[in-house]
């Protein structure tokens, strides 16, 4: 039985359970239970605060965990980072009052910076020869400048709306973060095997992030032109249609520029374009 530590409540909880579900592992979440067993994989879930997950995994209280890279970097626990999972994306940034005149990082010399991530910040300042006062506070960091606790902040930013509504502007991104799967060092062989099975499944799910499956019909003499517009992962899948001058082309494509590609495909005469979601990809 492999024990995984997940965030009990908060931003990572739902997505962590969801990615396990997409990997075929169903966990019942009973809000009053600290531990629950998966139905169809030898795995049990231990629900913790995200701050406690790196040390729980390092000490062997849990074998593996899902936690943000921001917490992994701050806690400096002796654990292996196995896989980035593509959700919980954010960044740790320095932000200053929006009216301040910022030129470079020397602006922070002599300033007081409020943060819940003192280790990462002190390291960044040491690397950049900044001498500043790092004030550790545990929550509502963004209001620290307004109430006079600090001159500026170092905190998690996602959309940036919280900074704007507190009269702050982001000037330096120190760390980009997303949720990751972490594991204890020196797991016994049978747990290592279970972990590898889990990673295999999670890889199959994560590979689909940002990708779509596209099908279209195209005249045979336009196939080369179509393949320039949608580069395929390996060789393209082409199926003949009842009308022998036409083929059906299938490809996995990146979602980000899909509309531009669709416009170009239409311009060369592609028809019946379908775009479908992908669930799992095993290469
Ligand atoms: O109770 P527990 O300790 O488990 O939870 P928590 O309150 O410490 O963490 P939680 O649930 O807020 O966040 C868990 C993890 O989600 C973080 O450690 C990050 O890895 C990740 N994450 C992703 C975020 C955000 N996005 C995020 N936007 N964590 C926090 N925020 C906060 C941020 O602190 C700021 O207050 O959201 C605000 C900024 O958001 P924007 O969109 O206005 O920029
Ligand atoms: Zn936390």
């Amino acid at each position: 039985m492999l024990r995984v530590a997940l965030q009990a409540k908060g931003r990572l909880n739902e997505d962590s359970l969801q990615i396990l579900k997409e990997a075929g592992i169903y966990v019942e979440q009973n809000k009053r239970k600290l531990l629950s067993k998966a139905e169809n994989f030898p795995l049990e879930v231990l629900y913790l605060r995200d701050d406690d997950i790196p040390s729980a995994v390092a000490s062997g209280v849990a074998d593996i965990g899902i936690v943000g890279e921001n917490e992994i970097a701050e806690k400096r626990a002796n654990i292996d980072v196995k896989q980035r999972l593509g959700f919980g994306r954010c960044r740790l940034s320095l932000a200053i009052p929006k009216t301040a005149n910022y030129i470079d990082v020397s602006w922070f010399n002599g300033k007081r910076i409020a943060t819940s991530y003192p280790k990462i910040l002190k390291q960044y300042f040491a690397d950049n020869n900044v001498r500043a006062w790092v004030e550790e506070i545990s929550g509502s960091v963004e209001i620290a400048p307004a109430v006079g606790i600090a001159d500026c902040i170092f905190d998690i930013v996602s959309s940036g709306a919280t900074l704007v509504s507190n009269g702050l502007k982001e000037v330096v991104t120190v760390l980009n973060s997303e949720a990751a799967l972490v594991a204890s060092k020196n797991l016994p062989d049978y747990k290592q095997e279970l972990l590898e099975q889990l990673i295999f499944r999670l890889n199959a799910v994560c590979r689909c992030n940002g990708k779509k499956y596209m099908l279209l019909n195209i005249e045979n003499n336009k196939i080369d032109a179509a393949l320039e517009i949608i580069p395929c992962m390996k060789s393209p899948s082409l199926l003949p249609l009842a009308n022998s001058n036409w083929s059906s082309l299938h490809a996995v494509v990146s979602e980000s520029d899909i509309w531009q590609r669709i416009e170009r495909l239409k311009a060369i005469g592609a028809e019946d374009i379908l775009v479908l979601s992908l669930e799992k990809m095993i290469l």
Side-chain angles (χ1 to χ4, degrees):
M1 177 81 70
L2 200 58
R3 184 183 282 177
V4 58
L6 301 186
Q7 190 188 26
K9 31 184 188 279
R11 285 184 166 81
L12 302 181
N13 169 273
E14 230 173 77
D15 286 341
S16 301
L17 289 167
Q18 179 63 26
I19 201 166
L20 289 178
K21 191 170 167 194
E22 285 167 14
I25 301 169
Y26 298 89
V27 183
E28 181 210 3
Q29 190 177 22
N30 180 336
K31 299 258 184 258
R32 282 166 302 171
K33 266 202 199 157
L34 185 66
L35 262 178
S36 49
K37 279 197 173 56
E39 280 173 28
N40 47 358
F41 194 86
L43 181 121
E44 65 182 354
V45 177
L46 173 65
Y47 293 103
L48 296 177
R49 287 196 59 192
D50 68 343
D51 316 53
D52 297 331
I53 293 175
S55 60
V57 173
S59 66
V61 168
D63 302 309
I64 59 174
I66 294 180
V67 66
E69 290 173 305
N70 52 316
E71 287 299 332
I72 300 170
E74 179 64 20
K75 296 299 184 301
R76 295 184 180 173
N78 188 21
I79 51 179
D80 287 332
V81 180
K82 292 290 183 184
Q83 192 180 359
R84 304 177 107 197
L85 298 173
F87 61 87
R89 286 210 170 93
C90 58
R91 51 198 190 272
L92 269 174
S93 293
L94 281 156
I96 68 175
K98 67 171 187 231
T99 49
N101 185 17
Y102 183 83
I103 295 166
D104 61 28
V105 73
S106 66
W107 186 91
F108 292 99
N109 275 312
K111 298 286 197 302
R112 292 167 307 156
I113 302 100
T115 187
S116 311
Y117 296 90
K119 288 194 183 126
I120 299 174
L121 183 57
K122 283 178 186 167
Q123 185 65 50
Y124 176 77
F125 282 158
D127 293 344
N128 288 277
N129 299 318
V130 172
R131 295 173 72 84
W133 305 99
V134 174
E135 313 276 354
E136 182 173 356
I137 57 174
S138 57
S140 305
V141 171
E142 62 279 354
I143 62 164
V147 298
I149 300 172
D151 302 304
C152 52
I153 67 167
F154 176 59
D155 199 12
I156 295 179
V157 184
S158 173
S159 66
T162 304
L163 294 184
V164 171
S165 63
N166 286 281
L168 300 167
K169 62 180 176 188
E170 187 178 1
V171 289
V172 181
T173 299
V174 172
L175 182 91
N176 285 302
S177 174
E178 65 186 75
L181 179 74
V182 294
S184 286
K185 295 192 179 247
N186 306 320
L187 287 176
D189 285 354
Y190 79 98
K191 288 192 179 183
Q192 192 64 42
E193 246 170 62
L194 290 173
L195 173 58
E196 261 142 44
Q197 282 177 33
L198 178 63
I199 290 173
F200 177 83
R201 295 186 187 193
L202 291 174
N203 263 322
V205 173
C206 290
R207 243 181 236 124
C208 300
N209 287 342
K211 302 235 169 52
K212 294 281 175 194
Y213 191 72
M214 185 185 264
L215 302 91
L216 57 91
N217 293 340
I218 188 93
E219 240 178 318
N220 291 342
N221 61 7
K222 297 283 172 49
I223 288 173
D224 288 344
L227 289 176
E228 283 193 12
I229 300 170
I230 44 169
C232 296
M233 295 203 308
K234 282 189 188 149
S235 76
S237 300
L238 277 170
L239 301 173
L241 292 182
N243 175 344
S244 64
N245 293 329
W246 283 69
S247 296
S248 165
L249 175 60
H250 299 203
V252 173
V253 294
S254 130
E255 191 177 10
S256 60
D257 49 5
I258 204 157
W259 286 107
Q260 289 90 317
R261 290 184 200 275
I262 288 173
E263 292 303 324
R264 291 170 63 202
L265 288 164
K266 276 168 54 94
I268 62 162
E271 290 183 3
D272 303 327
I273 303 174
L274 296 181
V275 177
L276 308 177
S277 296
L278 281 165
E279 276 190 18
K280 292 163 187 80
M281 210 192 297
I282 292 114
L283 300 179

